[in-house]
Amino acid sequence: MSEPVVTPLNAAEIQKMLDASPFNLFLGLTVVTADPVKQEITMRSPMRPEFERRPGSKQWHGGVIASVIDTVGDFAVGMMVGRGLPTVNFRVDYLRPAVDTALVAVSRVRRAGKSVGVADVDVFDEKGALLAIGRGTYSTLDTK
């Protein structure tokens, strides 16, 4: 029995899935690029006061950055398997504070296997400085 052919999701389909989630809407995530050939996706999240570490600081709270990493990694693997996926695990290394900037997250799929997918995520400020790196693992099992 052959495996079903999966058509990767395009940027509009990914954005529609993002917009269906109240949490992702709150993060303000927008798809900048989605390239299934490179297995890479880029998203942007604007700063808002609710994301501040301290009121008035304009510094991103690390938990929000972690949420962006998890979500962008998930959708990178999901782009390749054609659907949203549950997170198995993820990690974050914070390299420098994100202050008074939108976040630009670039995720590259490392594996989109039958049971597990892995994606690396680099988070930049709007000037291109690397702020954080992360890796997510996602279940690709089809539970239909």
Side-chain angles (χ1 to χ4, degrees):
M1 184 177 202
S2 64
E3 294 292 320
V5 176
V6 176
T7 301
L9 298 171
N10 63 38
E13 292 167 323
I14 295 166
Q15 189 67 57
K16 185 176 179 182
M17 291 172 70
L18 282 168
D19 292 347
S21 163
F23 182 71
N24 292 336
L25 278 174
F26 184 68
L27 289 177
L29 285 166
T30 56
V31 178
V32 177
T33 62
D35 187 337
V37 174
K38 288 178 155 180
Q39 297 189 42
E40 184 176 287
I41 191 167
T42 301
M43 292 189 199
R44 183 179 185 279
S45 182
M47 173 44 115
R48 51 189 298 169
E50 296 89 347
F51 298 161
E52 289 181 319
R53 187 170 162 263
R54 283 185 326 275
S57 68
K58 296 186 181 181
Q59 181 178 350
W60 284 76
H61 186 285
V64 180
I65 296 171
S67 294
V68 168
I69 288 170
D70 179 34
T71 304
V72 178
D74 182 293
F75 277 94
V77 177
M79 171 178 63
M80 302 311 299
V81 301
R83 58 188 156 72
L85 305 168
T87 302
V88 174
N89 193 16
F90 79 100
R91 63 162 289 143
V92 179
D93 291 316
Y94 301 99
L95 306 177
R96 63 178 48 93
V99 181
D100 198 19
T101 184
L103 300 181
V104 179
V106 180
S107 182
R108 291 168 196 84
V109 176
R110 298 299 182 202
R111 176 178 173 77
K114 291 181 184 177
S115 60
V116 173
V118 177
D120 289 332
V121 183
D122 293 336
V123 179
F124 301 92
D125 68 14
E126 292 175 295
K127 295 178 183 174
L130 185 61
L131 305 173
I133 56 175
R135 171 169 280 185
T137 305
Y138 308 93
S139 175
T140 58
L141 291 172
D142 192 355
T143 57
K144 288 187 215 177

